[in-house]
Structure formats: structure tokens, C-alpha cells
Amino acid sequence: MLELVADGQVHTLADVREDLADKLDITPQERQMRTPNAGKPIYRDRMDWARTDLVQAGLLEASGPGRIVITPAGRQALATGPPDFTRVYLKQFPQFEAFLTHRLRNQDQAADGNWIEQGQDLLTAAFEFRDRCLIDGRGLLFPSRDVWATETIESVFHHLIETPNLGPGTFAEKLQGQLETLDDGAHALAADAIAFYLLYPSEFLPQTKRNQVRQPLEWAGLEPDNFAVVDRAFDQPVGSAGMFYIQRRDLQLGFYLAFALAARSGSHDLEDPDVLQRIADEVAIPRLVSSAAQAVSSKTVSGARNILLCLLAPHYFEPIASTNHKNKIAEHWAALGGDSPNLDQRLRDIRKALSETYGDGFSYYSPAIKAEWQNDLGGTTPSPPRERPPGPRSTQVKETQRLQVLADHVHMRVDDLERLESLLETKRQVIIEGPPGSGKTYLAENFAGYFASADDCVALVQFHQSYGYEDFIHGIRPRTDGGAISYARVDGIFKRFCDQARSADKSSRFVFIIDEINRGNVARIFGELMYCLEYRDRAVPLAGDDIGADAFAIPPNVYLIGTMNNTDRSLAQLDYALRRRFYFYRLEPVVQGRAPVLESWLSAQAIAASECTAICELFVALNSRVTEILGSDFQIGHSYFMQAAVDTANWREALWSSAITPLLEEYLHNRADRETLIRELQPDRLLPMGAIEGMDLVLPVS
């Protein structure tokens, strides 16, 4: 790996993975081999560990998501090191030895539930953050300065969340630019917030945490008055904080700032656990979600919420960052958790009951206890999560099981569907976008069936260029009676759907699907619904209504899912005002050189593994080349390849002649080199000969 990146340039992991496999003569079939438990492919797992070890030893540097670059130490190691690098060799680098020691220590701590006794320095720092910053407004690192004044918090929150830098660059690079115009008090506040952010997670080495806290101070030329309070705490992490917490630290810091704003306004007893939870759930999270200039949901910062409550009220909230884990524990021991709608209260009841068996201070992550709830599929008392309205569907089977069934059916990952669910719950309007054949409508219909309370709570309409306000909301329609024509106002499909939802139980979820939403004149079709989409609690008069007629509002239990084909350049793009009222969820047929949906579908078919591999290789190669020529919006969707006869001799010839080539001709209709490009995009030019020979397929003549 070091040899492949020795040129000093930034390389993507996807490219290195392919180049390394070629260098080591690892065949496409070998690249897909998985462990007996069907985990990550063995080759990719080995490569990822090599990358991790080299980064921790300081020989490689992670220059951004999915990117690496060799360091001066790495070049020196190539020049003077042994022919074969092993962990024994890497141990000569102090930071790598610290990494190994840190991992082992964390593994030991994870099995020991008495974290409060072991983490006294950690909790001291957390309590000083509460007392100094949140209550007194002073600094954690600068106790004598009024660092956490409301106006300073507002200023940093505005630059970080309300006007974020969404361009390229590391978090530190972006933060430096965001703080550049602010005074040193804002830099001190940022350092305090980062320090609190880093108390819990075990994903960072202690020295890495210290360096990250010092960065904002160095930008402003500050030297902390009291660094010891966090210096000692960083040696006592609690546990894993989760993917979102690590990857989206801007949003986690935004939550902590929103919590601080709420805590600093008015008089609050921050030693009262119920007060802490109320501020977090009812003030801080809604403030962040409503203020963020990007798609944010409560799930995105659920880890930060759980961590804050745990650190500030450790005897009251579990040291568990993952809400998913909390739900699994509560579901497994539902019979012990009582009937409180508060998940954390149920966990307290469960801990009290289990203490008789496991003793005080037990950890849910000790191997024996974790094995009970982590692999639970049935549970002792099936019950839906309290946060979701208990519609008819959710009472039949546990939510986690239903989501897994849906994931298997649409061949997607559970966490991807959880993200879609979070977007829909937060905004109530989501558009699923992607190239043709990526399964947008299929996903929308199946997800609506999962999300809605019953089958009759789902409706679908497809927009087209002749569709109008009269069809969607209401309008004057002619009627004939005995040969006489009369005119009457008739409600459209969406207004009737809203009336149905309004008359139902408020806890019932209704989902309205708009297929091909960008094929209609959306501004004309929606009319005053543009306002209603954003303000669900306000009603407006409808066009053409009589004076005194009831105003219209979209009920809060109505959710909209739209689908949009990004390649329809002949159609008008979505009105910007309407676009702002939707969150967007993108489907990509190929992600980082893999075809996850197609791979999952093929694995469920009675097809030889070698043929599955060759089909995926062809699909990825086709889309990689199409992306190079036209862009990712023009990828060929996996549904073209998901056919019953996918492994028959004439399948590929028929697919290319009747579907792929005509589509490519349309995409390339204005290109002078169209014929040349289409020849390049034929199977025999895309698929390596070794893979072709492994398939019993007939090649079309190019």
C-alpha cells in the first residue's frame, strides 16, 4: 500500500483497493470472498486494517473521507524499513504502540460496567463544563473569562450551523475559516465545546483529543489557563460514540451549542435529570433541526443527546450513545421496563430489575449480557418503539424486525432505510431522486407500506405535463344530468386524502406518493400548498373558495414521498421554493465501486457465484464509464439487470440491444462522437476477458 502511494499525491481508497488487488494478482472472485458469517469481504477487511495500522503509525495520513496520502515518515520507512512490514515493525513508532494499548484498554473497560468509579476525572470535567459554562457562562479552559456569553454562543452557532461550509476540506479547515472573523472568545468557546465533545468517545487517542482542542486556541494565539481538567479526562473514555457522532462533528457541536443556549436562557436546575432531558428533547434538538441549513434530523444527533445526558447525570442515564442499542435492550426486556413512554425511564426500570441477577453497576456491553440483547430476534415481549404512533402495523411485530424485512425486500441496508425514515419523520416531505432504473418508485411504494399505519393510508399519483391544480387540490368540473351540463367544484385527490387523514386517529400515519414529481408544473399544481407544506399548523384559503369557506391545512399525520428522475433535462427543474420544503434522498446504482442493491439481489437468486461476480463487474464497469462521460446522474439503474433470465445465454445481447444501447443513444444524441462512445460501452469493451470466459453468455457484435 505504501509503495502504491509513494508519489506523494492524494489517493482514493477505492483506487488503491483496485490497484493493490491487481498488484497482488487477487482475482475478481477472490475479492468477493467473505468470511463464514457473511461479513465484509476478506480482501477489503485486510486492506482496511493495513490502512488503519499505517495511519496510526504515522506512515499514512487520512486527508479526507476515503482518501490517503503518504507522510514523510512513510517515505522514510519505504527507504530504510524491512522488505515486509508487520505489526512488530510498526511497534517501533510510539503512536502505534499507544494505539494498540488504547484498544486493549478500551476492550477491557467495555467489559467492566463500573465506569463511573473508573472515570472520576472524566466526570469532573463534565461537571465543571456544566457548572462553569452552562450555569455561570465562564470558560472550561479559561475559568476567569465570560466565554459562554449568550451572544458568543449565538455567533458560533450561526457560523457553524446556520451558514455552514458545505464544500471540500477537513472539519478543522472549515472550522478555522468559520471562526476567522470572530474574536478570541469564540475560539475559546469552540475549544471548550470540542473538549466536551471528545470526553466520551473511545474512537480517538488521548493525544489526538488534546491536539484537536488546542487547534482553535492556536488559531487565535491563546494559551489555556486550565488544560489539566480535560488532559486527565481524555485518558478515561467511556465507549464508542457511533458513526454519525464521529463523521458529523459539526452537527454534534451544533447540538451542544443549542443546548447551551437553552440552558443559559432563564433559570434551570441543571442537576435535575428531568430538566436536562426536557431541554435536550424539547428545545435543543428542535432548535438545531429548524436552524440548520442542511438536512438534519433528531437521529443525526441522537448520539450527542445520549452522551450529554449520560455525562451530566451519570446515575440516571445509561452510558449508551446508540439509541438503536437502547431500543434493542428495552425491547428484549420489555416485561421489566414498565409502560412509560420515556425510553430512558424504561431502561432505569430494567436496570433495577436486572441488578438482582447481575449485581449493581453491570454493563450492557459485557459479553454475556450483550449476547442476550444484541442477537435478539424475538424478544420476551414484542412491543413497538414508544416514539412511533402505534398504528395497526406496528403492533404486529417488532419495529427492528419489520425494518429488516423491508431491507431484505428492497435489497438495501437497514441503516440506509433508517436515514430515509429519519428524514421523513423530521421534514414530513422527502423526494427520492436518482437515475432511471435505480428503484425510486419501488422503494417509495414499499417504504410507504412500512411507514404508514395501514394499506388504506397510502395513495399514489403520477404527475405529468397536463396535470393541474384542479386534479390535485380542487377545481370546477362539468357534469351532465339528463343532457343538461352543469358545473360544480370537485375536490382533487390530495385534498380528499387529507380529509381522510384528518378524520382518522391522529396517531395514524398517512403517506401520499407523487411519482415523477418534476414532470408536472409543480408550482401551478401545488398552489398555496407551498405555504401549507412548511407550516402544518396554519390554514390558508384555497383559490376559488367562497368567502367564509373553511381554510385548508395539511394534517400533521400526512407525509409526502416524491420521486424524481435527474436525467429529465427537458423538464423544468423543481421550483426553488418547493425544493426548500423537501428533504432529498439519493439512490446511486454504484457506490464507491460497488453495486450494493444488485449484489444483494443476485445473492438471493439461484445463480453461480462466478456469474454473479461477472454480472456485477460488468454493471460497475458500465456505470463507471458512463459517469466519466456524462456524470453520475446518467448511471444505468440496477433494475435493468434484475431480470429472471439474467444468467441465460442470450440475456446480455437482448438487454443491450433492446434497452441499454437505445438509452445510451438518447443520452448521447447531441455528441459528435456518439458512435465511438457507444462502441466503448458495449460489454466486450467493458468486461475483462477473464470474467467473460467465466460466463456462458453470447456477446453482441459491436
Side-chain angles (χ1 to χ4, degrees):
M1 189 179 296
L2 277 182
E3 290 171 353
L4 286 175
V5 300
D7 58 4
Q9 301 299 311
V10 175
H11 293 259
T12 67
L13 285 175
D15 289 343
V16 173
R17 186 180 300 120
E18 294 304 311
D19 293 344
L20 190 57
D22 293 339
K23 182 179 178 66
L24 300 176
D25 294 325
I26 299 175
T27 67
Q29 290 80 10
E30 289 171 334
R31 298 179 204 186
Q32 300 302 318
M33 289 175 59
R34 297 175 182 267
T35 56
N37 62 357
K40 187 162 64 173
I42 296 172
Y43 164 66
R44 185 165 179 171
D45 183 67
R46 301 278 172 84
M47 185 203 143
D48 287 349
W49 271 113
R51 184 274 312 268
T52 297
D53 286 356
L54 291 172
V55 168
Q56 295 298 338
L59 307 187
L60 287 180
E61 179 180 306
S63 62
R67 290 172 169 79
I68 54 175
V69 63
I70 195 169
T71 65
R75 285 194 289 270
Q76 179 67 22
L78 277 178
T80 62
D84 297 314
F85 286 5
T86 65
R87 280 189 164 180
V88 174
Y89 168 72
L90 294 181
K91 283 183 178 181
Q92 69 177 284
F93 300 97
Q95 59 267 47
F96 184 72
E97 181 67 34
F99 166 67
L100 292 181
T101 304
H102 178 72
R103 288 186 66 244
L104 291 173
R105 184 175 70 247
N106 284 343
Q107 291 169 359
D108 292 340
Q109 289 177 347
D112 190 342
N114 197 8
W115 74 277
I116 295 178
E117 182 178 332
Q118 295 174 350
Q120 287 301 303
D121 291 333
L122 173 85
L123 292 177
T124 296
F127 293 158
E128 290 198 21
F129 177 80
R130 177 194 65 197
D131 297 341
R132 291 184 192 171
C133 305
L134 301 182
I135 296 177
D136 296 337
R138 294 179 291 118
L140 179 65
L141 304 177
F142 297 89
S144 61
R145 292 187 56 176
D146 293 330
V147 172
W148 286 77
T150 301
E151 56 270 21
T152 307
I153 307 173
E154 288 276 13
S155 179
V156 176
F157 183 84
H158 172 72
H159 284 76
L160 189 67
I161 300 299
E162 296 176 330
T163 57
N165 180 353
L166 302 179
T170 65
F171 169 75
E173 292 169 344
K174 295 179 181 180
L175 182 63
Q176 185 176 13
Q178 290 164 326
L179 297 177
E180 189 173 15
T181 60
L182 304 182
D183 60 19
D184 62 359
H187 287 75
L189 183 145
D192 281 354
I194 291 172
F196 184 80
Y197 164 83
L198 291 170
L199 289 179
Y200 185 100
S202 59
E203 284 88 346
F204 300 96
L205 290 170
Q207 189 56 45
T208 301
K209 295 182 178 183
R210 296 178 184 112
N211 294 340
Q212 291 187 13
V213 172
R214 287 187 178 275
Q215 277 185 321
L217 303 179
E218 292 172 355
W219 299 334
L222 294 173
E223 184 62 33
D225 296 337
N226 182 25
F227 197 78
V229 65
V230 296
D231 186 55
R232 295 189 300 267
F234 288 157
D235 289 321
Q236 300 174 344
V238 180
S240 173
M243 176 187 67
F244 275 129
Y245 193 83
I246 303 304
Q247 293 185 347
R248 296 309 310 270
R249 64 186 70 183
D250 56 331
L251 298 179
Q252 318 308 320
L253 291 173
F255 165 77
Y256 291 140
L257 294 175
F259 185 92
L261 285 170
R264 299 280 297 128
S265 64
S267 177
H268 302 286
D269 181 3
L270 298 187
E271 294 187 14
D272 185 334
D274 292 331
V275 172
L276 293 173
Q277 184 171 353
R278 185 168 62 253
I279 294 175
D281 294 343
E282 299 178 14
V283 184
I285 290 179
R287 167 73 185 267
L288 177 67
V289 170
S290 64
S291 302
Q294 53 184 310
V296 182
S297 72
S298 59
K299 285 189 176 181
T300 308
V301 294
S302 63
R305 177 261 189 201
N306 293 334
I307 286 171
L308 179 140
L309 295 178
C310 163
L311 293 181
L312 299 188
H315 293 284
Y316 205 75
F317 296 99
E318 290 291 337
I320 300 174
S322 169
T323 299
N324 183 39
H325 286 185
K326 285 187 173 184
N327 274 319
K328 284 187 175 183
I329 293 168
E331 290 168 3
H332 182 75
W333 284 290
L336 306 177
D339 57 0
S340 171
N342 187 317
L343 173 62
D344 293 293
Q345 178 60 56
R346 298 202 304 278
L347 290 176
R348 287 190 287 275
D349 293 339
I350 292 171
R351 172 169 288 278
K352 182 178 180 180
L354 292 180
S355 294
E356 299 179 6
T357 302
Y358 298 115
D360 294 335
F362 71 86
S363 170
Y364 283 111
Y365 290 100
S366 63
I369 299 177
K370 183 179 179 181
E372 287 196 50
W373 61 264
Q374 183 69 48
N375 301 315
D376 173 42
L377 294 177
T380 53
T381 307
S383 61
R386 278 22 176 221
E387 291 79 8
R388 171 170 179 175
R393 289 169 173 266
S394 59
T395 58
Q396 297 172 4
V397 63
K398 256 190 330 189
E399 201 68 20
T400 51
Q401 289 178 274
R402 293 188 55 242
L403 196 59
Q404 184 62 61
V405 170
L406 174 64
D408 293 341
H409 186 67
V410 298
H411 301 285
M412 293 177 64
R413 299 188 312 173
V414 169
D415 54 352
D416 288 333
L417 295 177
E418 286 179 337
R419 185 167 67 88
L420 174 58
E421 184 175 21
S422 176
L423 293 176
L424 189 59
E425 286 177 337
T426 302
K427 194 75 169 179
R428 291 195 180 95
Q429 293 101 226
V430 170
I431 289 178
I432 301 173
E433 59 177 346
S438 54
K440 302 179 292 295
T441 304
Y442 184 76
L443 173 60
E445 291 182 313
N446 282 278
F447 186 83
Y450 154 80
F451 190 86
S453 295
D455 290 336
D456 59 0
C457 295
V458 178
L460 181 147
V461 67
Q462 187 177 72
F463 279 3
H464 50 77
Q465 290 169 319
S466 298
Y467 205 82
Y469 179 90
E470 300 80 4
D471 306 294
F472 198 58
I473 309 300
H474 72 180
I476 303 297
R477 295 293 190 188
R479 290 181 175 177
T480 59
D481 185 8
I485 298 178
S486 62
Y487 295 88
R489 183 176 293 110
V490 178
D491 288 340
I493 184 172
F494 185 68
K495 188 172 185 298
R496 295 196 303 270
F497 185 79
C498 289
D499 291 341
Q500 177 189 354
R502 190 177 292 106
S503 62
D505 187 281
K506 292 182 179 179
S507 65
S508 297
R509 286 176 163 176
F510 286 72
V511 180
F512 192 88
I513 303 171
I514 305 174
D515 196 31
E516 305 284 5
I517 190 171
N518 61 325
R519 293 189 67 85
N521 185 339
V522 290
R524 179 182 180 277
I525 295 172
F526 274 85
E528 56 271 14
L529 257 63
M530 301 274 275
Y531 182 90
C532 297
L533 286 171
E534 185 164 11
Y535 303 103
R536 293 292 188 97
D537 58 339
R538 304 179 194 176
V540 297
L542 294 177
D545 267 349
D546 297 329
I547 296 176
D550 292 339
F552 177 79
I554 301 177
N557 60 336
V558 169
Y559 299 80
L560 281 80
I561 300 178
T563 69
M564 187 172 78
N565 181 357
N566 288 341
T567 61
D568 267 330
R569 302 304 186 192
S570 61
L571 303 173
Q573 294 298 297
L574 278 184
D575 184 286
Y576 285 117
L578 185 67
R579 178 178 285 274
R580 185 171 63 82
R581 287 158 168 80
F582 282 82
Y583 279 162
F584 285 77
Y585 183 89
R586 185 167 180 80
L587 293 180
E588 296 276 10
V590 173
V591 181
Q592 296 182 343
R594 298 288 299 274
V597 175
L598 181 60
E599 288 177 15
S600 174
W601 182 84
L602 287 170
S603 67
Q605 313 304 310
I607 301 174
S610 60
E611 293 186 359
C612 291
T613 300
I615 292 168
C616 286
E617 291 279 335
L618 175 60
F619 181 74
V620 171
L622 170 64
N623 278 306
S624 297
R625 187 71 182 106
V626 167
T627 299
E628 292 174 4
I629 298 170
L630 295 167
S632 60
D633 283 347
F634 291 85
Q635 289 188 50
I636 309 300
H638 36 253
S639 64
Y640 285 97
F641 284 67
M642 295 164 66
Q643 303 177 21
V646 70
D647 58 337
T648 60
N650 296 321
W651 158 77
R652 186 165 51 183
E653 181 178 10
L655 174 63
W656 245 260
S657 62
S658 63
I660 303 297
T661 298
L663 182 63
L664 294 173
E665 289 174 342
E666 180 64 27
Y667 284 169
L668 300 166
H669 73 279
N670 61 345
R671 294 282 295 260
D673 55 349
R674 182 176 72 164
E675 296 304 321
T676 300
L677 292 175
I678 288 177
R679 281 196 297 271
E680 290 181 10
L681 294 168
Q682 297 302 308
D684 59 334
R685 300 287 187 89
L686 295 168
L687 197 64
M689 286 306 298
I692 292 174
E693 292 168 0
M695 298 181 66
D696 182 22
L697 299 175
V698 177
L699 291 176
V701 178
S702 62

